[in-house]
Amino acid sequence: MRQWFRSLQLASRSSTNPPSCNRACGYHPISFHGALYASRLVTVRKASSKQSLSPLEQRIAEIPLHRYRNFCIVAHVDHGKSTLSDRLLELTGTIEPGGKKQVLDKLDVERERGITVKAQTCSMIYNYNGEDYLLHLVDTPGHVDFRAEVSRSYASCGGAIILVDASQGVQAQTVANFYLAFSEGLHLLPVINKVDLPSADPPRAIQQMKDTFELEAEDAVLVSAKTGLNVANVLPAVIERMPAPDGDHRKPLRMLLIDSWYSSYKGVILLVRLFDGTIQAGDHIVSFATGLKYHVGEVGIMYPDQTPQTVIKAGQLGYIHFNPGMKRIQDAKVGDTFTIVGSESVVERLPGFEEPKPMVFVAAYPVDQSEYGHLEDSINQIVLNDRSVMVQKEYSEALGAGWRLGFLGTLHCSVFEDRLRQEHGASVILTPPTVPFQILYKDGREETVRNPANFPEHEMVKSKITELREPFVSVTITMPEEYLGKVIELCENNRGEQQELSFFTATQVILKYLLPLAQLVDDFFGKLKGATKGYASLDYEEAEWRESDIVKLQLLVNKVPVDAVARVVHTSQTDRLGREWVTKFKEHVDRQMFEIIIQAAAGKRIVARETLKPFRKDVLAKLHASDVSRRRKLLEKQKDGRKKLRAVGNVAIDQAAFQRFLAK
């Protein structure tokens, strides 16, 4: 190589004064030799790149498409998805045995709570019957708030492991995940976990799956993910019963965007599934959704962390980022299709996903307004990697500048709050969760109100509005039969309408109710767990908007409304909630030099009242054996002074009082 390069340099030097005929003919020795050198250099680089492939890349390159398997693990909360994922990664040599637990749970809050919040993917190589198979595993969340993560995972997979706890049996989210997977046409593999527990009853769990899902008992794999018992039988069952992905690496690139996250060094990183073609660094690709074009900077697979590769082929899941990087997370539209620039006319766009809509709203304020900038930066950083959160600035007279935040559910809100406190050290006040309401005006306009402070006043409701609506959800509850009466009573007390009642075993009940979303977010799940000693499970989905008799409930302090405490509630709830508010608020407000009247008002009607007596000076202390008229004169003078002070005085309520009042 060095000898050839030296001869090329000598040849170019000897032709620094080329004949005029060469120039006239358009021939230039320097240009010719430079092009020759460049072409040979490219050839040498290609040869060296083939030689420099890592052992992992060489092993993947030799695996044909029919030996790929893309699958996910779905289950109810705490049935052992992440633990089973750990055992499978250890079994394939992707991670070392005995390492840290819950490898695919990246967030601190996931490890602390033992739940999965964000779906994670990992590639594995498994040798079966002397042949290597490339397996792509997706670990999905189990809670209903993160169902959008599960539906996106299904789009990238050809099969799913339905995991059931042998001691708990089939629960609500298991049912929901099954029907979602069944509608996507996925091949399902039943796995019964935690068979080592003393309370485990695998035959009952298998019978429940057979009765509920019509899955054959002989197909079920009985495992203990914690101890590793029988886990080695899971991957052979995946290979034998799940199909290989469709695709052709010779066709133009057709790539689906499944997820994205933000890196401060690389910009937006995309998690993609290739249906056709190949992609490698240097490719020029275009987005169907935005029309923006990008140069690929790096491609790779999750193994289990980001592992760069030379190329990703059809059938694979992997990550890519661009050079220069994608700066705006909003440009990465989940469900978007990408292809090579120039192939837009011959590549069919893939069906995308419906973006999840926030259904629970809270107001967030800094504990100290001097920390507003820090809290704003913290919220923006989390939203970069969780764009299902809606953020809108707002201002409260009581609590100052803050934000209106929208979440997919109450657990989503709680996880967001934990991340603010743990990852960023932020101190934040959150108001109780509220839901959106629809207003239909007499002129035909329709408006959705997400902030209770913007709900129309009583006079406007009477004169300009024809209908007020609130969202209802379809709730599925599974529980032991002995708690059926208590659960029905709880649902009826929360304005529920029973839709269906069925027994899927002799002792297990599935109960379906139509509930107002406002009642569901008011700690309904906590009340349900308390009524059933933790044995009930719950799943819900959006149902419809219904006309409802709702009103804005406000807290008044000396007849001045406190905007941070306003809520929109059903008229049947106003008296109870109003009494709770005034009693609790009185405990946290300091006494003043004049009387404070605390009221709860639903429209124009005062539903509850408490009075905080003022500080009082003993004006009779200096009198000894005086006439009664003298005493009365001093008391009347003090009374007149109180009236004047109350007329001109403003109630100074410490912000800490609001914090204690809003605390759970």
Side-chain angles (χ1 to χ4, degrees), residues 104-338:
L104 296 183
D105 289 343
K106 311 289 186 184
L107 303 176
D108 292 338
V109 69
E110 290 180 313
R111 298 175 183 278
E112 180 184 308
R113 293 189 175 214
I115 60 173
T116 301
V117 171
K118 196 166 182 63
Q120 301 289 347
T121 183
C122 183
S123 297
M124 307 178 290
I125 299 178
Y126 182 64
N127 191 277
Y128 179 63
N129 290 340
E131 293 181 320
D132 281 344
Y133 284 80
L134 181 61
L135 310 177
H136 296 105
L137 163 68
V138 183
D139 182 22
T140 62
H143 196 276
V144 60
D145 284 5
F146 308 105
R147 180 182 293 162
E149 296 278 333
V150 180
S151 64
R152 288 204 298 266
S153 303
Y154 286 164
S156 63
C157 297
I161 292 176
I162 299 287
L163 192 67
V164 173
D165 187 333
S167 60
Q168 299 285 342
V170 172
Q171 294 190 284
Q173 195 61 35
T174 317
V175 178
N177 285 334
F178 167 79
Y179 286 116
L180 192 59
F182 187 77
S183 65
E184 293 283 341
L186 300 187
H187 291 253
L188 303 175
L189 172 64
V191 175
I192 310 298
N193 191 24
K194 303 186 182 182
V195 296
D196 59 316
L197 294 180
S199 59
D201 190 356
R204 177 177 69 97
I206 291 173
Q207 189 61 40
Q208 286 180 357
M209 296 187 81
K210 185 176 181 180
D211 295 342
T212 311
F213 307 140
E214 299 181 0
L215 296 175
E216 294 301 325
E218 56 270 16
D219 293 340
V221 183
L222 306 182
V223 304
S224 170
K226 185 176 182 180
T227 64
L229 175 67
N230 216 20
V231 173
N233 293 336
V234 173
L235 292 182
V238 168
I239 291 170
E240 292 173 359
R241 300 177 196 173
M242 293 185 186
D246 296 326
D248 188 347
H249 67 273
R250 294 167 296 185
K251 289 184 177 180
L253 175 68
R254 191 164 66 130
M255 182 173 70
L256 178 68
L257 173 56
I258 299 170
D259 199 2
S260 62
W261 58 93
Y262 190 84
S263 165
S264 55
Y265 298 103
K266 300 177 180 178
V268 181
I269 300 175
L270 311 183
L271 181 66
V272 295
R273 154 81 152 89
L274 270 68
F275 283 84
D276 290 310
T278 62
I279 188 169
Q280 57 188 347
D283 285 350
H284 195 198
I285 65 174
V286 60
S287 160
F288 273 73
T290 64
L292 298 175
K293 299 174 182 178
Y294 304 95
H295 289 279
V296 179
E298 181 181 291
V299 302
I301 59 174
M302 307 300 291
Y303 190 78
D305 299 316
Q306 295 177 25
T307 305
Q309 301 282 289
T310 305
V311 63
I312 304 178
K313 300 183 291 186
Q316 284 187 265
L317 275 78
Y319 74 89
I320 64 171
H321 67 79
F322 305 120
N323 187 16
M326 182 189 289
K327 300 301 181 186
R328 298 176 67 249
I329 193 75
Q330 293 81 3
D331 291 338
K333 298 187 180 298
V334 172
D336 190 9
T337 305
F338 286 83

Side-chain angles (χ1 to χ4, degrees), residues 2-65:
R2 289 180 181 174
Q3 213 169 8
W4 169 79
F5 182 67
R6 180 65 180 163
S7 64
L8 188 62
Q9 282 183 318
L10 291 172
S12 62
R13 286 174 184 171
S14 64
S15 53
T16 51
N17 296 312
S20 58
C21 65
N22 288 342
R23 293 188 179 179
C25 298
Y27 167 78
H28 199 299
I30 295 179
S31 302
F32 170 75
H33 289 303
L36 180 63
Y37 167 69
S39 64
R40 290 192 180 183
L41 192 59
V42 169
T43 306
V44 171
R45 279 180 178 170
K46 285 183 178 178
S48 62
S49 66
K50 288 181 180 178
Q51 295 172 359
S52 63
L53 286 178
S54 66
L56 175 64
E57 284 192 84
Q58 292 177 11
R59 199 173 170 189
I60 292 175
E62 294 169 359
I63 302 175
L65 181 62

